[in-house]
Amino acid sequence: MIEGIQHLSRGTHEFEVRMDDAAYQNFNLDYFQFDRVRR
């Protein structure tokens, strides 16, 4: 598990969601939103 702020390098990145098959899964995942933050 990765928590907190992650700084990414410039370029293309992939995002993957994995669910544990053995875990009780009663939820809906409609979308993820990533916002670009400039510092």
Side-chain angles (χ1 to χ4, degrees):
M1 176 184 289
I2 299 173
E3 295 182 12
I5 296 172
Q6 300 296 315
H7 297 279
L8 303 175
S9 60
R10 187 177 289 212
T12 302
H13 301 276
E14 294 183 18
F15 179 76
E16 183 174 316
V17 177
R18 296 181 187 182
M19 306 296 175
D20 184 354
D21 290 336
Y24 177 71
Q25 297 177 16
N26 185 21
F27 61 89
N28 291 319
L29 182 62
D30 293 329
Y31 69 94
F32 283 95
Q33 179 174 330
F34 296 94
D35 297 320
R36 184 176 181 173
V37 178
R38 294 184 181 207
R39 291 185 176 206

